[in-house]
Amino acid sequence: MQKILIANRGEIALRIIKTCQEMGIETVAIYSEADKDMPFVKAATKAVCVGEPPVNKSYLQSDKILEIAKSEKVDAIHPGYGFLSENAAFAQQAINEGIIFIGPKPETIELMGDKIASRHTMEKAGIPVVPGSSVGLKTIEEACGFAEAIGYPVMLKASGGGGGIGMVFCENEQALVKFYTSTKSRALAYFGSDKVFIEKYIADARHIEVQVFGDNHGNIVHLFERDCSIQRRHQKVVEESPSPFLSDSVRNKMYETAVKAAHAVDYTNAGTIEFIVDENENFYFLEMNTRLQVEHPVTEMITSLDLVKWQILVAQGKRLPLLQNEISSSGNAIEFRLYAEDPVRFLPSPGKITTLHWNQKEGVRIDSGYEEGGTVTPFYDPMIAKCIFQGETRKEALELAKSFFKEMKIEGIKTNAPLFLNILANDDFQNGSYTTSFLTKNLVK
């Protein structure tokens, strides 16, 4: 593999470029007109403009991206996360053109991207799933009948949803009736399908995911877990490993279940099995992300492995670099997603970054797509950086994070750093006794 096109932008594009440079692989970056001065454009071996700023005219232009890939004679495409990373049709188009898609097989992406189909597949494999419907609900009467059978509250979900989109909490039948039609319409608009289903809402839950990796030779391993329970509107804000909540026995059972789930779909490349865990440590399959996760640096910090390098090696047809008994974890790592965001109203805060000082030190990793003088535009996700901290103990990692956010300096835009300091000062968070409702109950109304 001599040349890879990166079908993404910002920090993940830079992250992929870094590994490609270390492996001696040339890179082709695509960029929108709004991103022409971004660091990832300068870092790539070559950069090609893909279109106007809106995503549907640039980073979602699959045909245009494939045209660029062919004209640049690339060997492979790395989709990063978001955009086209879980688009089975795009993956298949690339393969049809003789270009390697750095990710799982298109049929796996399609299967696991449909939440109803993935629930059904996991049930057949003996994987515990959240109580709910494993078929699409056709009428409001059917939805109400099902919800009454499993008991309120429930979550009404779009089968093709993701990233918190297409999920509605319904405390009672009145709420379900109110949101049913609008959720179906939203699902159709965002995901091209109006299929919806219902799951039992698990109160005081933890959201814990297991990183898995498979090759084309039947080998699948886990790379431990990440606790992603600090969320706002179903969007992850903080992720850490190991989870401060899980007992070792349940942790190991979760690893076994994640690998079993991956085998059930003959999984290859990087993927994540996501579980919802109740207060008694009963865990249930929630979904599978068939791509590299935003929070993959947490795993890289505790394992000292390069997951992007693993992705490329597997895509080349090679075996996994390590067997399960050769993979170990050390210390604690925690990641905070730093956004250009008003910390009070929680609205995007685009603008020019006039000052950017990270206060870099040992144990701190910053994956950022911006530099001083750069502009956060309103066209894309306003994440400025992922700030990851590692210590021998959880307490060390948290203290490192606290000093970092107190000392870092970003001017010209607002950020959600004040929220992080509030989280770090909270006793429940310090004790590791938090759930997915932590922000709602403590800091964000």
Side-chain angles (χ1 to χ4, degrees):
M1 199 177 288
Q2 303 297 316
K3 188 187 291 187
I4 293 174
L5 181 142
I6 302 164
N8 219 295
R9 65 180 296 280
E11 64 83 19
I12 188 58
L14 272 176
R15 167 71 191 87
I16 296 164
I17 289 169
K18 177 178 178 289
T19 289
C20 286
Q21 288 173 339
E22 292 173 357
M23 296 178 73
I25 298 172
E26 293 184 353
T27 52
V28 176
I30 57 168
Y31 65 92
S32 73
E33 293 170 0
D35 283 344
K36 60 184 176 62
D37 297 319
M38 290 279 283
F40 79 94
V41 176
K42 303 169 191 174
T45 310
K46 184 173 181 178
V48 181
C49 183
V50 71
E52 298 173 39
V55 290
N56 62 337
K57 295 184 178 180
S58 53
Y59 298 106
L60 294 180
Q61 287 279 354
S62 56
D63 291 342
K64 181 75 175 293
I65 292 169
L66 286 169
E67 284 177 20
I68 295 170
K70 287 189 288 183
S71 65
E72 294 298 327
K73 296 181 172 58
V74 304
D75 302 298
I77 292 175
H78 196 306
Y81 54 74
F83 294 139
L84 296 169
S85 62
E86 292 180 285
N87 187 310
F90 176 69
Q92 189 61 60
Q93 280 180 284
I95 293 168
N96 291 346
E97 295 291 348
I99 299 169
I100 296 169
F101 180 80
I102 300 178
K105 296 182 284 292
E107 53 268 31
T108 306
I109 297 173
E110 185 172 12
L111 174 64
M112 302 312 285
D114 184 318
K115 288 183 170 52
I116 294 174
S118 64
R119 277 179 58 88
H120 186 63
T121 301
M122 292 299 109
E123 284 178 324
K124 284 178 60 180
I127 306 298
V129 300
V130 180
S133 56
S134 294
V135 294
L137 301 169
K138 295 181 173 62
T139 66
I140 182 60
E141 291 78 16
E142 187 179 3
C144 289
F146 202 94
E148 187 176 348
I150 64 173
Y152 288 96
V154 298
M155 294 295 292
L156 178 63
K157 294 185 174 184
S159 186
I165 299 172
M167 296 172 57
V168 183
F169 172 76
C170 299
E171 189 170 10
N172 49 40
E173 184 174 305
Q174 184 179 2
L176 181 56
V177 171
K178 178 182 177 181
F179 293 117
Y180 179 78
T181 301
S182 61
T183 301
K184 283 178 72 72
S185 298
R186 188 174 173 83
L188 183 62
Y190 275 87
F191 312 114
S193 169
D194 70 349
K195 281 198 299 183
V196 296
F197 68 107
I198 282 174
E199 283 184 343
K200 177 70 176 173
Y201 175 74
I202 298 177
D204 295 320
R206 289 271 185 157
H207 187 149
I208 297 176
E209 61 189 26
V210 177
Q211 177 73 61
V212 294
F213 233 106
D215 62 23
N216 294 300
H217 305 277
N219 301 303
I220 296 176
V221 299
H222 72 79
L223 299 172
F224 311 103
E225 87 280 7
R226 297 182 290 254
D227 195 319
C228 308
S229 303
I230 302 292
Q231 300 179 6
R232 184 167 63 84
R233 297 172 189 162
H234 310 297
Q235 294 272 17
K236 299 167 187 174
V237 178
V238 180
E239 304 99 353
E240 66 173 304
S241 187
S243 168
F245 167 73
L246 289 179
S247 62
D248 286 342
S249 60
V250 172
R251 193 188 315 272
N252 290 325
K253 182 65 175 175
M254 192 176 283
Y255 297 158
E256 293 172 11
T257 304
V259 171
K260 182 180 178 182
H263 272 296
V265 293
D266 191 24
Y267 198 80
T268 59
N269 220 277
T272 306
I273 306 292
E274 305 210 2
F275 296 102
I276 200 79
V277 188
D278 70 17
E279 56 189 346
N280 297 316
E281 287 192 284
N282 299 304
F283 62 88
Y284 307 93
F285 171 83
L286 191 62
E287 64 180 1
M288 183 178 198
N289 289 303
T290 54
R291 53 171 166 78
L292 192 68
Q293 289 280 70
V294 175
E295 57 271 21
H296 77 274
V298 173
T299 298
E300 293 187 326
M301 293 287 267
I302 64 165
T303 61
S304 299
L305 300 173
D306 183 336
L307 300 196
V308 175
K309 183 176 182 179
W310 275 40
Q311 283 192 292
I312 293 170
L313 293 174
V314 167
Q316 289 176 320
K318 297 180 180 178
R319 293 179 179 273
L320 292 175
L322 298 173
L323 300 174
Q324 190 67 71
N325 62 4
E326 298 172 313
I327 302 168
S328 61
S329 68
S330 176
N332 290 67
I334 185 164
E335 172 180 292
F336 295 77
R337 300 189 188 190
L338 185 69
Y339 283 92
E341 185 176 72
D342 184 316
V344 177
R345 296 184 300 157
F346 296 104
L347 295 173
S349 177
K352 184 176 181 179
I353 304 172
T354 56
T355 301
L356 182 59
H357 176 62
W358 288 124
N359 181 35
Q360 194 81 50
K361 59 178 74 173
E362 187 178 352
V364 177
R365 168 175 166 177
I366 306 297
D367 282 19
S368 177
Y370 293 91
E371 57 191 3
E372 191 170 272
T375 299
V376 179
T377 74
F379 300 106
Y380 316 112
D381 183 276
M383 187 167 70
I384 304 166
K386 301 181 303 198
C387 305
I388 310 101
F389 309 94
Q390 184 176 32
E392 288 188 18
T393 64
R394 183 172 187 265
K395 184 178 180 181
E396 279 185 23
L398 298 185
E399 287 299 320
L400 191 58
K402 193 183 300 181
S403 66
F404 175 87
F405 288 119
K406 283 181 178 177
E407 297 169 16
M408 83 167 191
K409 192 173 183 180
I410 299 179
E411 295 177 346
I413 56 172
K414 296 177 180 180
T415 76
N416 60 340
L419 173 64
F420 298 153
L421 289 170
N422 287 336
I423 292 171
L424 288 160
N426 182 277
D427 289 342
D428 287 340
F429 181 76
Q430 289 178 15
N431 297 332
S433 55
Y434 59 86
T435 69
T436 52
S437 59
F438 172 84
L439 287 182
T440 303
K441 290 181 177 179
N442 294 279
L443 302 171
V444 179
K445 302 303 180 186

